Amino acid sequence: MAGDTGTKERSNSGVGARQIRREDDRLLRGKGRFVADIKMSGMQELAFLRSPLAHARIKSITVPDALRDTVYLAADLTGVIGIRADSGLPGFRSSVQPILADTKVRHVGELIAACLSDTRAGAEDIAEEIQTEFDELPAVWDMTAAQSPDAPLIHENWDKNAFLETQTEVDFDGATADAAVVVNKTFRTARQCMAPIEGRGLVAVWDRTLEVLTLHSATQMPHIVRTGLAECLGLDHGQVRVISPDVGGGFGYKGILLAEEVCACYLAIKLDRPIRWIEDRREHLTAGANCREHFYDITGYAAADGTLLAVDCNALVDSGAYSSYPFSACLEAAQVTSILPGPYKMRGYRCSATSVTTNKPPILPFRGVARTGVCFAIELLLDAIARELSIAPEEIRARNLVTPQEMPFTNITNKYFDSGDYPEALRRAIEAIDLPSIRSEQKSQTGRERIGVGLSIFCEQGAHGTSVYHGWGIPMVPGFEQATARLTPDGGLELRVGVHSHGQGLETTLAQIAHERLGITIEKIKVVHGDTAYTPYSTGTWGSRCIVMAGGAVATACDALGQRIRNIAGHLLQSENDDVALEDGVARAGTASVSIEEVAKTWYLKPQLLPDGVDPRGLEATEGYKTVQDTGTFSYACHAVKVSVDLDLGHVKLLDYVIAEDAGTMINPMIVDGQVLGGAVQGIGTALFEEMPFSETGQPMASTLADYHLPVAADIPDIRIIHMETPSPLSYFGQKGIGESGAIGPPAAIANAVNDALSSLGAEVAQVPMTPERILAALDQAEKGDKA
Amino acid sequence: MKPVDFSYLNAMNLEQAENALAGQSCSIVSGNQSLGPMMNLRLARPGVLLDVSRVEELRRAEETDTEVRFGAAVTHAEIEDGTVPDPTGGWMRAAASNIAHRAVRNRGTIGGSLCHADPAADWVTVLPALSAQISIAGPDGVRKVDAIDFVVGPYATVLAPGEIVVSVAVPKPSAAARWGYWKFVRQVGEFSKASAAILDDPDTGRSRVIVGALGRQPLLIDKPDDVIAGRIDGKAALSHALPDMPACAVRMHAVAIDRAIEQMAGSPE
Amino acid sequence: MQTDVEFLLNGKKVTGAAEPRTHLADFIREDALASGTHIGCEQGVCGACTVFVDGRPTRSCITLAAACNGADIRTVEGFDTDPLMEAIRDSFKRHHGLQCGFCTPGMLTTAYDIIRRIPDADRETIRKELSGNLCRCTGYAGIVDAIEDVLKEAPAAALQPTERPRSAISATSAAPKAAEISDSKQAPSPETVIVADMALPAADSFETATVLRKTMHLSAGPEEAWRLISSPEAIVSCIPGATLSGPVTNGIANGACNVSAGPIKAQFRGTASITYLPETKSGQLLGRGKDGLSRSGLEGRLDFQLVPNDNASDINLEMRYRLNGPLSQFGRPALVEEIANGLLADIAQAIDATLSGNDATAGRTQPQRSLSGFRLLFNAFKGLIRRTLSTR
């Protein structure tokens, strides 16, 4: 651990402080600048004609003559190439996502024509006038059916509807022999929409003087979009600038190169006019339902005392029609095989996972990525084994969790758990939810409402780097993360980072880190992000990586800058620079001090005062950072929830919810809480409400927010968080990535609680969301089973 | 998405509204809280939109000894807040306070909700249970329709072209009357999955059991006194009225009846 | 087509011309250039666009700009000297009541309204009242905390609801002359139907589609009933809303089916084939149609058979349907339950009415129920939902 925060008093705005966020004031006054807020002279609004069908050959597209100048079809996009995001893994089947479809459509909402007008309404009017004729093909709407040999092929030149099949097997054969119980289950999670309240959007502008395209886009990864865009449009990187302004939530939805971006940028160049496209909610729900849909056929082998011997699993991930840039379509399914064991020890393991191709929007990694699904599968399996063996859910977990004495621990799939006390998180969660009193409450219940309690525990790899990702052979592999720290002549500090902040509060936490290292008051620190012209290259904001990677980069750059400040200050103070300390905005040596502002002025404006041999690179440092080893930090948490289930209506109420979690060293505990709570409520959405059903013709069946149910304030109890704080030995301050963690645990914990509530009735749910219909069906089935 | 373009007329009084209706086919709108989303999705494509939200005569509420007559453009929030009299001594206020969300209640109106005739809407179920009477103005003058006969199917009412709902008269129940209105929603403000409104008012002979959110028009249950007294259970009453109804729907709506009865008896919700 | 818009925005008069279809949020953002009001769904659900109209929280995405003439509108930009809003902002900062900030303008509006309207609100009440505003980042905890904190010692609310303006700007209140009114594009009338000649679906392609069955008693005997049914024109006339665009040749018909449910109207234009098996007094109607404006498609199969029943007869109807496109993309199973049930009865009743010499629609007691095509459509959709649930 390079940080030394443990040895000195924590500053009230440095690492560990509940610092009020620096981004809040503008957002609270309506002064944020989101992409839809950008308006330019001569700007044209773009609306798309999208495919109404899931799978069809396009017979004809007819544009009325009068509108021909306002409508652009595939053939009009000269020199533009489609989006391709291959994996280097053997057997990967490669797809090309057309920018505009002209021969075949493979999911509802696929782009067919671009329509331009002065207003969005006008552009939609034009889209309505275009006549289309299709030869409809049978749709592949279900990932299990997609595997059938007579399923129609989505990509005709493939041999089957799968991007990739992956397998992992470790010591499986010998491990099952002593099993006292073998439990087989199938589990399913629904397809979801990530549903940031702001959708995607863009404004593309061509500067004909500089010959530079500027794309303002609501994206999590401006640099990656720049790279992908340059490729698709055949431009040099130097001709493309991407600016990500204030962004209204991402969650993975905005971590992608969009066909819409490629199309709008092409039109902006061709027409030499600014082009704006703002995704509307209907587009989001129908064309952007792109995450979370998993299927597990899983078998657990356990000894009589609950010791887990082996797990065998066949998993399917519905990956949709195309592979999205930069994450390949196989990323999620392939992760399933490596992370399914969770925080548990086992002797043998076997898992195969298929990235199934279907007539649905291409899959994207949603907060928690594959983890939400695997946690659901392994945690429900554990409860099922516990029921089989008549042991308590907490007992089977305690028996199989990796212990603190075993840390760091390399698990059965070669994951390196860096630090932590998993059993303690379990113990604290159980204590806080007061498990004994719930158990006694359960004994006396007789009515039509049943109480249940459920647990889930998981660890989350974050900020993993090159060694983990290069093996996938995807278009983007993270390496060093860079940051620039630059002192301005007035003694202010500018931090430039290539990641993007869209709710995570990086404008605050990165400033806290710089303050921690340089002592400059936080009010004078500005975090610059989201503009490829200003910031060092970065793969962007994803994978719970920013606080570890960008935080580490900022600290490293600040340390380099600090050295140079001390050097000049030492000269001014007539002291050795090793004796100079930076605190409270001054450089101090003994009793003498000089303000950092004066140091900056000296460098920029009074060079005659500089010492001989001063570092000519000046007061601006760009440094790269990697963790001690790039296997990732492992944050972890135990979720415990108390529910009631109305047996007449199948309605689930959350009565109490506890999360015991460990994010390592917390840079800003308020923001850690915010990340955990926000993630948890998304997880509650997964558990109880959110689902994009598809019809058997591949139609998405929830085109409004009245059909697609997001959690609202009244659905949520006051969630209590218990912090543990075990530093990671791998990161700068011991911090761990925590951004996704909250969304992982809830579906498993709530399903286990519902099944606990229903256990006396013999009913069990194995699918989220747990709607009244599904719970009533489970009760009916149990009743029928009883009679039979 | 944005709506298709349309002509917009804003009537200030009933005469203007009636003249507009006589001249052309109009979609009448007040709060636009139900029609608005449908227009934004281009599902509804009115040629002419007649806004009656400021029509003097539709904005009034008048109380007499026996009833309160709500103008059709009285908002849910005005009922919720008691800005207009509540003939039921609070039952209507309570029902209003659970319609959608406050921002919607601030513009949505009692008449608009009825005319939109969404089977899951609150007034569509509550007003028939209170034996309300709807006044409709049309080319041939004013006619009155019992609330139970007003909605005839999903999104369908007895309104003929050129007609407009002017007011909703709700009779005052007797002092001994009891009331229960229960709806099953998982989330605050969403369309209910099942609902039942029950008035027990033997003194006036207006006892009624109404089941709503059936996907069809509200269902008037036979022999309300027997249902209220528990001599006929909800399931039996529903199966009798709608023999083809799937068992799972019967179960959910029977629960709504049971819980409305419990509520009427003073049990906690 | 433009209409005049004039109102007070944050205390300043704003005037402009806008298309009547322009909603308040768009007008504020695009014409008045106040971008603090955010648009999150345009479906009236998410609450991000909530602003004060005459002091009352209002969804600006489903409120027309033209409907706000004379109103006093206040957005997030209009509270800089308001002590209550300042207290709320400060509390949102301290309690981490925002992350990305996109829902925040609507949240502040609702928070302000809760605090001034329900001064004794507890956490449960706050949560209920907040439920019309979606936040995807915070999990609501910080927002609830922030409001609860302000309620402990809330400054007086400077903004209060006011009377709605009684009169509007004259331009919008005056009815345009009839000639000025051009109807929006609607489903065309049957007379203008163009022959569609669409490829028919395969009769055996409905194996997994929803099946609806209905048996209706007809007062006519089987022979008499068969005479009616074996005329394709007659049977089409018994499908409410359906019209033929020309004669039926070789059992192939082109035509249209006008459908509506309340304000939603569509016209499916397409092709149908009719085949008869006289020996069993049965037959099959197979069809496919497309609604051009919504790009929705409907295809289906109707099997029918006459069975003697004393001197009269029974008709067994069996329907299978599939729906595609935007009109199919809704999730209200309870709503469509009844729509579906009404359909077959309508057809059977129409057949019965025609046989007994009554006009097929005049005999109906419920005048608005003749548009059953939409019921078909909703029914298909309902079945899909049900099947989706049952197979998972």
Side-chain angles (χ1 to χ4, degrees):
Chain A
M1 193 173 60
D4 55 0
T5 56
T7 57
K8 70 168 207 189
E9 187 105 335
R10 281 183 176 181
S11 145
N12 60 6
S13 54
V15 169
R18 283 184 67 91
Q19 171 68 38
I20 297 290
R21 295 201 325 162
R22 318 212 39 231
E23 38 276 88
D24 284 354
D25 202 67
R26 70 170 187 274
L27 297 170
L28 285 162
R29 294 181 190 283
K31 294 194 171 130
R33 191 185 198 225
F34 295 87
V35 69
D37 303 344
I38 298 169
K39 233 175 128 80
M40 293 184 181
S41 160
M43 188 169 80
Q44 290 281 285
E45 298 278 354
L46 173 58
F48 289 99
L49 169 64
R50 291 173 181 272
S51 172
L53 300 175
H55 199 190
R57 251 181 276 285
I58 299 174
K59 265 165 73 181
S60 69
I61 306 169
T62 311
V63 181
D65 286 343
L67 299 174
R68 199 61 194 87
D69 288 348
T70 61
V71 176
Y72 294 84
L73 305 176
D76 301 319
L77 307 185
T78 318
V80 177
I81 60 167
I83 296 172
R84 195 172 165 141
D86 292 344
S87 160
L89 291 171
F92 183 82
R93 295 172 188 85
S94 173
S95 67
V96 177
Q97 178 182 10
I99 304 305
L100 295 174
D102 62 348
T103 51
K104 192 176 172 184
V105 287
R106 294 184 179 85
H107 66 88
V108 170
E110 192 166 356
L111 305 181
I112 293 175
C115 308
L116 293 172
S117 180
D118 293 340
T119 63
R120 172 64 182 246
E124 290 177 9
D125 292 346
I126 292 168
E128 250 179 17
E129 297 293 332
I130 302 171
Q131 301 294 320
T132 48
E133 282 183 291
F134 298 97
D135 272 335
E136 194 174 354
L137 301 166
V140 179
W141 68 286
D142 178 85
M143 60 180 147
T144 49
Q147 302 292 90
S148 141
D150 55 356
L153 285 173
I154 293 163
H155 299 280
E156 284 97 340
N157 54 339
W158 294 11
D159 57 326
K160 62 196 300 193
N161 290 318
F163 288 100
L164 185 70
E165 292 127 313
T166 48
Q167 291 85 27
T168 302
E169 183 170 341
V170 186
D171 303 332
F172 181 76
D173 282 339
T176 58
D178 304 334
V181 287
V182 178
V183 175
N184 173 257
K185 293 280 170 190
T186 56
F187 300 121
R188 210 169 176 139
T189 59
R191 186 162 268 248
Q192 283 185 242
C193 301
M194 295 184 221
I197 305 299
E198 177 203 42
R200 292 161 172 165
L202 61 88
V203 176
V205 198
W206 175 247
D207 181 329
R208 60 176 172 261
T209 310
L210 296 173
E211 296 194 328
V212 166
L213 170 80
T214 300
L215 172 67
H216 305 260
S217 182
T219 181
Q220 300 173 222
M221 36 179 65
H223 293 275
I224 295 294
V225 168
R226 182 192 191 200
T227 300
L229 206 50
E231 250 170 54
C232 286
L233 293 172
L235 297 173
D236 296 337
H237 269 59
Q239 290 180 288
V240 181
R241 175 185 178 189
V242 176
I243 299 174
S244 186
D246 279 324
V247 171
F251 319 119
Y253 188 66
K254 296 169 183 172
I256 176 186
L257 171 70
L258 302 171
E260 289 89 342
E261 286 169 330
V262 178
C263 182
C265 287
Y266 177 86
L267 294 175
I269 297 171
K270 183 185 166 88
L271 305 174
D272 195 8
R273 293 184 80 167
I275 305 286
R276 179 165 75 173
W277 168 70
I278 304 300
E279 180 186 65
D280 67 32
R281 188 54 58 180
R282 195 170 170 283
E283 288 180 292
H284 171 73
L285 291 170
T286 55
N290 55 17
C291 56
R292 278 283 195 272
E293 195 174 3
H294 290 201
F295 171 84
Y296 295 86
D297 182 345
I298 188 168
T299 307
Y301 299 81
D305 66 353
T307 302
L308 201 53
L309 300 174
V311 170
D312 187 12
C313 179
N314 181 18
L316 305 177
V317 174
D318 188 324
S319 298
Y322 300 106
S323 183
S324 288
Y325 184 95
F327 298 105
S328 131
C330 67
L331 187 78
E332 182 132 347
Q335 284 207 40
V336 166
T337 61
S338 71
I339 62 178
L340 180 64
Y344 300 109
K345 294 173 284 188
M346 58 192 72
R347 292 180 206 165
Y349 175 64
R350 185 167 70 183
C351 182
S352 64
T354 306
S355 307
V356 183
T357 317
T358 61
N359 289 119
K360 296 182 190 172
I363 191 171
L364 286 184
F366 175 29
R367 192 181 205 168
V369 199
R371 294 159 182 83
T372 305
V374 301
C375 178
F376 185 69
I378 198 81
E379 291 296 298
L380 265 67
L381 178 70
L382 275 186
D383 268 26
I385 294 172
R387 276 196 295 276
E388 197 73 20
L389 290 170
S390 299
I391 61 178
E394 62 276 19
E395 198 182 322
I396 193 167
R397 286 175 175 76
R399 189 167 297 282
N400 292 294
L401 283 171
V402 174
T403 65
Q405 295 75 28
E406 293 167 307
M407 290 289 182
F409 180 83
T410 302
N411 87 343
I412 194 155
T413 55
N414 224 17
K415 295 282 173 193
Y416 180 84
F417 298 168
D418 54 345
S419 66
D421 189 342
Y422 300 173
E424 177 64 10
L426 174 66
R427 196 192 63 74
R428 291 194 194 184
I430 288 169
E431 182 181 274
I433 202 92
D434 195 359
L435 189 59
S437 86
I438 298 173
R439 292 290 179 227
S440 75
E441 196 181 340
Q442 282 178 318
K443 285 191 186 115
S444 57
Q445 59 183 351
T446 50
R448 298 294 291 163
E449 194 162 275
R450 295 296 161 92
I451 305 288
V453 62
L455 298 167
S456 72
I457 183 162
F458 58 90
C459 54
E460 191 212 351
Q461 187 180 21
H464 30 320
T466 317
S467 70
V468 182
Y469 279 96
H470 83 91
W472 305 108
I474 60 177
M476 171 201 76
V477 175
F480 279 98
E481 187 71 21
Q482 287 175 293
T484 300
R486 176 201 235 184
L487 209 56
T488 54
D490 59 354
L493 181 70
E494 225 178 70
L495 301 171
R496 299 181 168 203
V497 291
V499 296
H500 186 262
S501 181
H502 36 277
Q504 299 88 344
L506 292 169
E507 291 175 34
T508 306
T509 47
L510 296 180
Q512 284 179 260
I513 286 172
H515 170 78
E516 181 76 26
R517 301 308 299 159
L518 295 174
I520 295 172
T521 172
I522 201 154
E523 285 72 30
K524 296 193 80 166
I525 303 174
K526 181 170 180 56
V527 176
V528 178
H529 64 99
D531 187 337
T532 57
Y534 284 133
T535 62
Y537 201 94
S538 168
T539 56
T541 299
W542 57 276
S544 295
R545 65 190 299 274
C546 289
I547 205 61
V548 173
M549 298 306 296
V554 163
T556 308
C558 285
D559 289 347
L561 177 62
Q563 196 56 38
R564 298 180 204 171
I565 295 171
R566 279 201 291 272
N567 191 5
I568 297 170
H571 176 74
L572 296 177
L573 296 170
Q574 297 180 319
S575 172
E576 292 300 313
N577 64 18
D578 284 353
D579 297 336
V580 177
L582 303 177
E583 53 193 47
D584 302 332
V586 300
R588 207 183 303 277
T591 54
S593 69
V594 57
S595 70
I596 288 179
E597 184 177 351
E598 192 52 40
V599 173
K601 262 198 195 123
T602 304
W603 166 260
Y604 288 106
L605 305 170
K606 302 181 204 168
Q608 69 275 17
L609 301 179
L610 291 172
D612 292 338
V614 68
D615 189 334
R617 289 171 299 178
L619 298 179
E620 176 168 340
T622 299
E623 292 291 328
Y625 171 79
K626 264 188 181 179
T627 47
V628 174
Q629 65 177 54
D630 69 358
T631 48
T633 59
F634 280 80
S635 65
Y636 58 94
C638 180
H639 288 217
V641 59
K642 179 184 178 187
V643 305
S644 71
V645 183
D646 183 323
L647 301 181
D648 290 322
L649 298 167
H651 182 51
V652 177
K653 256 192 248 171
L654 305 182
L655 304 176
D656 193 10
Y657 205 114
V658 174
I659 300 172
E661 62 80 37
D662 190 340
T665 305
M666 290 188 281
I667 306 299
N668 183 332
M670 178 183 85
I671 286 177
V672 171
D673 282 356
Q675 291 296 304
V676 171
L677 291 167
V681 171
Q682 290 181 348
I684 289 169
T686 302
L688 296 176
F689 302 109
E690 295 181 43
E691 175 171 26
M692 176 60 71
F694 278 80
S695 77
E696 65 179 36
T697 54
Q699 293 287 325
M701 303 301 278
S703 57
T704 75
L705 286 177
D707 306 302
Y708 187 89
H709 297 273
L710 295 170
V712 303
D715 300 326
I716 311 300
D718 288 329
I719 297 173
R720 295 177 286 146
I721 299 179
I722 300 160
H723 288 296
M724 297 167 63
E725 208 169 349
T726 316
S728 169
L730 304 181
S731 63
Y732 193 99
F733 297 101
Q735 76 272 37
K736 296 183 174 185
I738 192 75
E740 302 175 70
S741 159
I744 299 170
I750 297 169
N752 280 338
V754 167
N755 284 340
D756 183 49
L758 303 182
S759 63
S760 63
L761 303 159
E764 193 175 319
V765 292
Q767 184 178 359
V768 283
M770 289 169 282
T771 56
E773 290 80 2
R774 289 199 175 108
I775 289 175
L776 292 176
L779 285 164
D780 282 351
Q781 205 184 338
E783 204 170 313
K784 274 180 206 146
D786 277 356
K787 281 173 191 161
Chain B
M1 279 180 85
K2 315 291 181 190
V4 294
D5 211 3
F6 46 79
S7 300
Y8 175 76
L9 307 175
N10 197 350
M12 288 299 115
N13 55 49
L14 196 54
E15 192 190 344
Q16 279 182 8
E18 285 175 325
N19 286 344
L21 284 169
Q24 69 257 310
S25 151
C26 298
S27 291
I28 303 174
V29 65
S30 180
N32 201 39
Q33 302 298 289
S34 299
L35 189 61
M38 286 185 170
M39 290 201 302
N40 284 357
L41 288 162
R42 299 195 172 206
L43 291 172
R45 309 164 72 96
V48 184
L49 203 63
L50 173 63
D51 187 336
V52 298
S53 63
R54 301 188 194 197
V55 168
E56 237 6 281
E57 296 90 332
L58 270 54
R59 292 282 302 136
R60 291 183 202 132
E62 288 157 4
E63 184 169 16
T64 68
D65 287 348
T66 56
E67 65 178 25
V68 172
R69 184 176 295 269
F70 297 94
V74 168
T75 66
H76 310 311
E78 285 164 339
I79 297 171
E80 174 187 14
D81 293 348
T83 311
V84 293
D86 181 347
T88 63
W91 302 337
M92 285 184 70
R93 287 183 66 174
S97 72
N98 285 310
I99 296 172
H101 306 286
R102 180 71 184 186
V104 171
R105 300 198 291 273
N106 278 329
R107 289 195 84 79
T109 63
I110 187 170
S113 173
L114 268 179
C115 293
H116 187 65
D118 191 308
D122 292 83
W123 293 134
V124 167
T125 306
V126 166
L127 292 171
L130 293 171
S131 296
Q133 207 174 45
I134 321 285
S135 290
I136 300 168
D140 307 324
V142 173
R143 64 178 175 128
K144 292 186 175 176
V145 175
D146 285 340
I148 188 63
D149 299 325
F150 182 76
V151 175
V152 295
Y155 298 132
T157 68
V158 297
L159 281 182
E163 288 191 322
I164 179 172
V165 168
V166 178
S167 66
V168 180
V170 178
K172 292 181 177 175
S174 72
R178 300 184 305 157
W179 170 253
Y181 174 52
W182 192 89
K183 61 175 177 177
F184 177 32
V185 289
R186 293 182 79 197
Q187 295 190 291
V188 173
E190 74 169 1
F191 290 111
S192 56
K193 291 176 185 295
S195 70
I198 301 182
L199 178 71
D200 179 27
D201 195 357
D203 294 358
T204 61
R206 286 199 297 258
S207 293
R208 275 191 172 181
V209 176
I210 302 284
V211 179
L214 286 162
R216 46 158 275 158
Q217 62 272 42
L219 176 69
L220 176 67
I221 297 282
D222 283 347
K223 303 180 185 158
D225 295 331
D226 289 342
V227 174
I228 291 166
R231 290 186 292 271
I232 299 176
D233 79 353
K235 240 179 223 177
L238 279 164
S239 305
H240 174 71
L242 300 172
D244 292 339
M245 193 170 170
C248 57
V250 170
R251 170 160 69 179
M252 211 170 260
H253 287 85
V255 172
I257 295 175
D258 292 347
R259 296 197 183 177
I261 292 173
E262 280 171 31
Q263 202 188 65
M264 192 168 63
S267 322
E269 230 176 288
Chain C
M1 207 167 9
Q2 302 265 305
T3 183
D4 291 331
V5 177
E6 179 180 325
F7 51 68
L8 280 181
L9 177 62
N10 299 324
K12 292 192 182 125
K13 192 157 112 176
V14 172
T15 57
E19 289 180 330
R21 61 173 155 177
T22 309
H23 57 60
L24 179 61
D26 266 349
F27 189 85
I28 291 172
R29 291 173 50 81
E30 303 296 333
D31 294 82
L33 301 180
S35 63
T37 298
H38 296 157
I39 297 174
C41 72
E42 295 184 304
Q43 297 168 342
V45 184
C46 82
C49 69
T50 310
V51 301
F52 284 101
V53 175
D54 298 321
R56 295 178 187 83
T58 299
R59 303 264 206 246
S60 60
C61 75
I62 50 170
T63 299
L64 295 171
C68 293
N69 271 327
D72 183 353
I73 290 164
R74 197 82 76 88
T75 67
V76 65
E77 292 103 327
F79 285 90
D80 280 352
T81 57
D82 186 304
L84 174 55
M85 191 59 94
E86 281 306 302
I88 295 170
R89 285 177 171 140
D90 187 54
S91 195
F92 267 60
K93 288 180 194 171
R94 284 184 284 109
H95 293 282
H96 197 18
L98 67 156
Q99 289 184 23
C100 79
F102 198 80
C103 73
T104 306
M107 283 291 177
L108 293 174
T109 306
T110 299
Y112 192 101
D113 184 55
I114 293 171
I115 292 163
R116 74 172 182 190
R117 189 163 53 84
I118 319 174
D120 58 349
D122 57 11
R123 289 180 74 82
E124 197 187 334
T125 306
I126 295 169
R127 284 190 178 278
K128 175 174 180 272
E129 293 288 331
L130 267 182
S131 290
N133 290 71
L134 298 176
C135 171
R136 194 60 161 161
C137 294
T138 64
Y140 305 104
I143 301 170
V144 176
D145 291 346
I147 294 171
E148 188 184 37
D149 201 0
V150 175
L151 274 167
K152 285 178 196 155
E153 207 174 340
L159 181 64
Q160 293 293 340
T162 55
E163 273 293 290
R164 288 201 196 186
R166 291 281 168 163
S167 63
I169 306 304
S170 57
T172 52
S173 61
K177 297 182 194 84
E180 290 172 355
I181 297 169
S182 60
D183 265 9
S184 292
K185 215 162 32 137
Q186 296 280 2
S189 59
E191 290 74 38
T192 65
V193 167
I194 301 153
V195 173
D197 270 331
M198 297 182 87
L200 287 167
D204 61 1
S205 69
F206 294 93
E207 304 268 300
T208 55
T210 319
V211 188
L212 285 167
R213 294 188 179 85
K214 187 129 203 144
T215 298
M216 278 288 288
H217 185 67
L218 304 177
S219 46
E223 296 302 329
E224 192 192 341
W226 182 247
R227 273 197 296 281
L228 172 80
I229 288 163
S230 58
S231 150
E233 287 83 359
I235 198 157
V236 168
S237 76
C238 293
I239 302 175
T243 44
L244 292 170
S245 60
V248 180
T249 43
N250 303 324
I252 302 290
N254 282 301
C257 195
N258 277 328
V259 296
S260 84
I264 305 173
K265 294 180 175 63
Q267 182 180 63
F268 290 92
R269 289 187 234 164
T271 304
S273 72
I274 304 168
T275 49
Y276 292 105
L277 291 170
E279 55 276 21
T280 52
K281 291 198 172 48
S282 66
Q284 185 182 76
L285 191 80
L286 199 60
R288 170 181 281 161
K290 182 172 144 183
D291 176 45
L293 287 176
S294 71
R295 284 177 218 281
S296 298
L298 178 62
E299 53 187 43
R301 190 178 114 188
L302 176 69
D303 295 279
F304 48 89
Q305 181 164 30
L306 283 168
V307 188
N309 183 348
D310 291 335
N311 293 329
S313 53
D314 286 341
I315 184 164
N316 296 325
L317 296 170
E318 200 169 280
M319 233 178 9
R320 293 170 167 82
Y321 280 95
R322 245 197 314 269
L323 182 68
N324 254 338
L327 286 176
S328 71
Q329 297 164 356
F330 298 92
R332 294 277 304 276
L335 176 68
V336 297
E337 195 75 39
E338 169 65 16
I339 298 176
N341 287 338
L343 170 74
L344 283 179
D346 277 358
I347 297 176
Q349 267 170 20
I351 293 170
D352 195 30
T354 307
L355 283 168
S356 50
N358 298 328
D359 179 279
T361 51
R364 291 164 183 251
T365 51
Q366 298 170 338
Q368 297 294 308
R369 292 199 53 192
S370 62
L371 301 158
S372 60
F374 201 73
R375 292 174 196 162
L376 304 191
L377 170 165
F378 259 123
N379 172 60
F381 140 66
K382 174 219 65 176
L384 293 171
I385 292 262
R386 183 194 283 158
R387 201 167 40 261
T388 305
L389 294 174
S390 63
T391 54
R392 290 196 176 179

